[in-house]
Amino acid sequence: MKRKPSNLKTHRTPLLLIVLAGTVIASALLGFYGCDNRSGKLPQATVRIGNDSIWQMPSVNTIPKGEKGQIIRYGRELLTHTAKYFGPKGSIARITNGMNCQNCHLDAGGKLFGNNYASFIASYPKKGNRSGRLETPADRIIQCFERSLSGQSPDTAGHEVQAMLAYLKWAGQGVKPGKKLFGSASGKLPFLPVAASPVKGKLVYSAQCQRCHGADGAGILAANDTVFTFPPLWGKHSYNDGAGMYRIGNLAAFIKNNMPQGITYKNPKLTNQEAWDVAAFIISQPRPHRDQRSDWPDLNLKPIDAPFGPYIDNFTATQHKYGPFGPIVKAQEALRRNDKINKI
């Protein structure tokens, strides 16, 4: 589809929802929700068994014809091959690090526990805990460009961002606000009783990750030297330390569910320990820095694995980065209980 690129400013089959019976959901949860397949143990579930639905990405064959369908397809193309258009050698603008949105939102945003797009549109508008203000879907795209793509955002009123939004709306068609869907985000892993180890994680990286992402974590460029066949995990072309993937909990769960390439939440290759450790190794490596002093204005809403202070507790930034997280959770719960009592 040929269109004039929009002006850029540097700032910023129908959807099938299957409600499963409790026994089926329980079986599915055993496959991932915090479960180490080698132990067979199921920790506390993070969803209620009776109220979940399995989401399935609509088939691309159902994208409508005509101009509406062209916009949706263009949005899909931009999200799967972002660097081609906005990377260091982008054809529209050169405003990002060279990664693609699809590097974190797998299979064009269609994979369970691969940060899929199922409830993206249905989740907005909402107050963002990190920003402290009311956000729209376009605001979230800006954040991804500035953090995960470590660059600048296209004009959110321009054709490219509007095409992305059209695809995201198509992908999440039929998903209602507040609906809990099995397989959203990247899942959660149970906390380790000790801190995750970058030293042990380096061994896991060498054995399981290095062949695709390189010994230096710089990824592998395609033959055209324009896009990455395998994305960089650290260094100047990777996501910055303000991205969600820099939080160890997000990264460890994403790795457990999706890596090495080809596995799913049903057939994980790494143990929980290995996933935590290799995530610790990756976030211990150098990458671009983002000023986050304005993030999390309400410290009570700040995630426990946010790697930069301040915090409501007295634990170090290092423990917030690598764990162990159990003591932090208990301390914060006690602080909130005391605060509630004092307000009575």
Side-chain angles (χ1 to χ4, degrees), residues 262-314:
I263 71 100
T264 71
Y265 73 95
K266 295 180 180 179
N267 64 336
K269 186 171 184 178
L270 303 181
T271 65
N272 289 343
Q273 179 81 57
E274 289 170 331
W276 280 106
D277 287 344
V278 75
F281 170 68
I282 291 169
I283 65 171
S284 71
Q285 303 305 305
R287 66 183 63 253
H289 174 64
R290 177 180 175 83
D291 185 348
Q292 298 167 57
R293 287 175 292 182
S294 297
D295 288 358
W296 312 106
D298 184 349
L299 295 182
N300 284 290
L301 301 176
K302 193 170 189 175
I304 59 171
D305 60 346
F308 301 104
Y311 308 104
I312 63 171
D313 55 66
N314 294 319

Side-chain angles (χ1 to χ4, degrees), residues 47-288:
V47 295
R48 291 177 296 179
I49 289 176
N51 292 332
D52 269 14
S53 299
I54 292 287
W55 172 81
Q56 183 178 353
M57 172 72 87
S59 169
V60 292
N61 295 328
T62 67
I63 295 177
K65 297 180 180 179
E67 184 174 354
K68 181 179 179 180
Q70 287 181 323
I71 294 173
I72 292 171
R73 289 187 179 88
Y74 186 41
R76 186 178 192 275
E77 169 70 10
L78 291 166
L79 290 167
T80 54
H81 301 105
T82 320
K84 178 180 176 182
Y85 302 94
F86 297 114
K89 297 184 179 180
S91 61
I92 293 178
R94 300 178 178 184
I95 55 175
T96 71
N97 58 9
M99 294 181 69
N100 301 315
C101 297
Q102 183 170 240
N103 294 143
C104 296
H105 303 278
L106 302 180
D107 296 348
K111 188 178 182 182
L112 295 182
F113 295 110
N115 291 319
N116 63 62
Y117 295 140
S119 58
F120 179 83
I121 292 295
S123 298
Y124 291 91
K126 67 178 180 182
K127 184 177 180 180
N129 291 338
R130 186 168 62 186
S131 69
R133 58 182 177 79
L134 189 67
E135 296 177 349
T136 66
D139 291 325
R140 188 66 182 90
I141 289 177
I142 291 173
Q143 293 173 26
C144 286
F145 268 81
E146 293 180 345
R147 295 170 185 261
S148 298
L149 300 181
S150 197
Q152 301 163 325
S153 174
D155 182 0
T156 55
H159 180 62
E160 281 69 41
V161 171
Q162 292 305 306
M164 294 178 194
L165 292 171
Y167 173 73
L168 294 166
K169 183 177 181 180
W170 171 84
Q173 58 185 280
V175 177
K176 297 180 180 179
K179 183 69 174 178
K180 274 200 169 185
L181 300 175
F182 176 78
S184 61
S186 57
K188 293 184 182 296
L189 298 183
F191 295 140
L192 299 176
V194 297
S197 170
V199 175
K200 293 179 179 178
K202 183 176 182 179
L203 300 177
V204 180
Y205 182 86
S206 297
Q208 303 292 345
C209 316
Q210 181 172 306
R211 62 181 175 272
C212 292
H213 298 285
D216 58 358
I220 297 177
L221 277 169
N224 61 13
D225 200 36
T226 300
V227 298
F228 286 98
T229 301
F230 297 102
L233 300 184
W234 64 84
K236 66 179 182 179
H237 292 295
S238 189
Y239 53 89
N240 63 45
D241 59 16
M245 278 295 192
Y246 191 66
R247 286 173 43 204
I248 192 171
N250 291 339
L251 183 58
F254 181 85
I255 290 170
K256 174 70 184 282
N257 257 335
N258 301 289
M259 297 293 149
Q261 188 180 41
I263 71 100
T264 71
Y265 73 95
K266 295 180 180 179
N267 64 336
K269 186 171 184 178
L270 303 181
T271 65
N272 289 343
Q273 179 81 57
E274 289 170 331
W276 280 106
D277 287 344
V278 75
F281 170 68
I282 291 169
I283 65 171
S284 71
Q285 303 305 305
R287 66 183 63 253

